[in-house]
Amino acid sequence: MKRTVPKKVSTAAHERLASWIAARGLKSTRQRDLIVDTFFSQTGHLSVDELVEKAKQRDPSIGAATVYRTMKILTDAGLASARHFEGGQTRYEGALDRHHHDHLICTSCGNIAEFENERIEELQDRVAEEHGFTVTHHKLELYGLCAACQQRQSNPNRQR
Amino acid sequence: MKRTVPKKVSTAAHERLASWIAARGLKSTRQRDLIVDTFFSQTGHLSVDELVEKAKQRDPSIGAATVYRTMKILTDAGLASARHFEGGQTRYEGALDRHHHDHLICTSCGNIAEFENERIEELQDRVAEEHGFTVTHHKLELYGLCAACQQRQSNPNRQR
DNA sequence: TTCATTTTGAAATTGATTCTCAGTCTCGAA
DNA sequence: TTCGAGACTGAGAATCAATTTCAAAATGAA
């Protein structure tokens, strides 16, 4: 039951994944390739559901469990990062050569913007130090309305 | 089946809850009082499980669903706030006359410290502004090892 | 006391995620 | 090539926190 895997996206990611997989005796499979390929061909912060749907478009036999398993591997390999925003489901974003960054989440349309702020990071470190904490990671998320949704709310006629 | 409700804790909270309840046609019940009482007699960030356990110590017939329901009411009334730290379960902290604050969470012992930092808040507002966002709320959590756990790790003999 | 309405506890349900298991692949060795 | 141990897969069961359902019980205004 062979299926053609669409042409590769993000070669760097595939290579890093390949060596990660080889290094621990895992095996590379058609499903894994397809899921990884699908993930890297998208941008933004995908939920597993969304990813399952996209993957099933290419191969309807893909199971959700495999998508979960694959995203865990990608995360362990440092190629994706899992985010847990409000709303209960984990979202993944590509992590290849990316800086640390935080998020602005629109509670109306779900749009997610990213930002980096060195000054805030420094202040966080200082706070941690004052409390004798060694910080391993942190979470900074700003929730509210994006510009477009504010517009929409004050101008309901133009909505949608 | 009358049971004695232990003497009141945090009268202010009870009064505010009473008017909140009265204002919307809800009824005040023995279970509710007991749960609220139990909640305010504790400090820190309680999970529902912990609260259920404490409540059952006073009245084993209390059901978990009622604790969930009661904490939702307390939250809606602005007397408690729900926090969703890493780990999957909601934790509640008293919100009576409390300033906004953020958290430092020890990933080893689970200890949670609080902090306020006006400067960070300002910078967050600026970031949001630059992106055209109107922020309604945010989440800032620093995860790592508290002083005690660092000590313990570098000095395993003194562990425990 | 009456009784419409709210509340309760237990059990069922939900939603996201993980686990289990029997059948399939993968890949290095022969 | 062919083999075979071990990894992988999909489906469905299991888990876990939280919510909902439902019949019985409690509340409180009249």
Side-chain angles (χ1 to χ4, degrees):
Chain A
M1 197 201 271
K2 293 263 171 63
R3 280 192 188 74
T4 341
V5 174
K7 72 168 188 300
K8 297 290 171 55
V9 181
S10 183
T11 310
H14 276 86
E15 280 170 13
R16 287 210 8 205
L17 181 59
S19 50
W20 174 271
I21 279 182
R24 48 214 83 209
L26 306 183
K27 291 174 178 173
S28 104
T29 69
R30 182 174 50 76
Q31 291 89 330
R32 222 110 98 167
D33 286 348
L34 194 157
I35 293 164
V36 171
D37 221 68
T38 304
F39 176 66
F40 283 110
S41 73
Q42 302 286 133
T43 57
H45 302 73
L46 288 179
S47 69
V48 177
D49 254 9
E50 290 163 352
L51 194 48
V52 167
E53 192 176 345
K54 305 261 183 218
K56 277 186 189 279
Q57 286 173 11
R58 296 195 187 182
D59 178 350
S61 73
I62 295 283
T66 303
V67 176
Y68 275 103
R69 288 186 281 236
T70 302
M71 291 317 292
K72 183 170 286 294
I73 293 175
L74 270 190
T75 302
D76 291 345
L79 294 168
S81 36
R83 303 286 182 176
H84 306 277
F85 300 126
E86 288 180 359
Q89 65 216 19
T90 302
R91 289 179 174 279
Y92 289 92
E93 61 177 328
L96 197 65
D97 305 323
R98 293 226 50 189
H99 270 183
H100 163 75
H101 59 266
D102 295 303
H103 298 85
L104 276 153
I105 299 105
C106 179
T107 49
S108 175
C109 68
N111 178 44
I112 298 172
E114 304 178 346
F115 68 91
E116 286 180 51
N117 190 302
E118 194 48 50
R119 199 74 196 86
I120 291 180
E121 303 286 322
E122 285 166 13
L123 289 168
Q124 287 176 9
D125 288 345
R126 184 162 314 161
V127 166
E129 195 179 341
E130 286 165 3
H131 286 257
F133 266 72
T134 300
V135 172
T136 53
H137 62 288
H138 70 252
K139 174 178 287 193
L140 172 53
E141 295 158 7
L142 310 182
Y143 294 88
L145 290 179
C146 68
C149 287
Q150 289 170 56
Q151 195 72 47
R152 233 170 265 142
Q153 289 210 339
S154 57
N155 219 343
N157 296 335
R158 299 211 186 140
Q159 200 169 310
R160 267 258 76 219
Chain B
M1 196 203 271
K2 292 266 170 63
R3 280 191 188 72
T4 341
V5 172
K7 73 167 187 300
K8 296 289 170 61
V9 182
S10 182
T11 311
H14 276 85
E15 281 171 11
R16 288 211 5 204
L17 181 59
S19 49
W20 174 272
I21 279 181
R24 48 214 83 208
L26 306 182
K27 291 174 179 175
S28 104
T29 68
R30 179 174 53 73
Q31 291 89 330
R32 223 110 98 166
D33 286 347
L34 192 158
I35 293 164
V36 171
D37 221 69
T38 304
F39 176 66
F40 284 110
S41 73
Q42 301 288 132
T43 57
H45 302 73
L46 288 180
S47 69
V48 177
D49 256 8
E50 290 163 351
L51 193 49
V52 167
E53 193 176 341
K54 305 262 183 219
K56 276 186 190 281
Q57 285 173 11
R58 296 197 188 180
D59 178 351
S61 74
I62 294 283
T66 302
V67 176
Y68 275 103
R69 288 187 279 236
T70 302
M71 291 317 292
K72 184 169 284 295
I73 292 174
L74 270 189
T75 303
D76 291 344
L79 294 168
S81 36
R83 303 285 183 175
H84 307 276
F85 300 126
E86 288 180 0
Q89 64 217 22
T90 302
R91 290 180 173 279
Y92 288 93
E93 61 177 329
L96 198 64
D97 305 323
R98 292 226 50 188
H99 269 184
H100 163 75
H101 59 267
D102 295 303
H103 299 85
L104 278 153
I105 300 105
C106 179
T107 49
S108 175
C109 68
N111 178 42
I112 299 171
E114 304 177 346
F115 69 90
E116 285 180 52
N117 190 302
E118 194 49 49
R119 198 76 194 85
I120 291 180
E121 305 285 323
E122 285 165 14
L123 289 168
Q124 287 177 6
D125 288 345
R126 186 163 314 163
V127 166
E129 196 180 339
E130 285 165 3
H131 286 258
F133 266 72
T134 302
V135 172
T136 53
H137 62 288
H138 71 254
K139 174 179 288 195
L140 172 53
E141 295 158 6
L142 310 181
Y143 294 89
L145 291 179
C146 69
C149 288
Q150 289 171 58
Q151 195 73 47
R152 234 169 264 144
Q153 290 211 339
S154 57
N155 219 343
N157 296 336
R158 299 205 184 144
Q159 199 170 311
R160 276 251 73 221

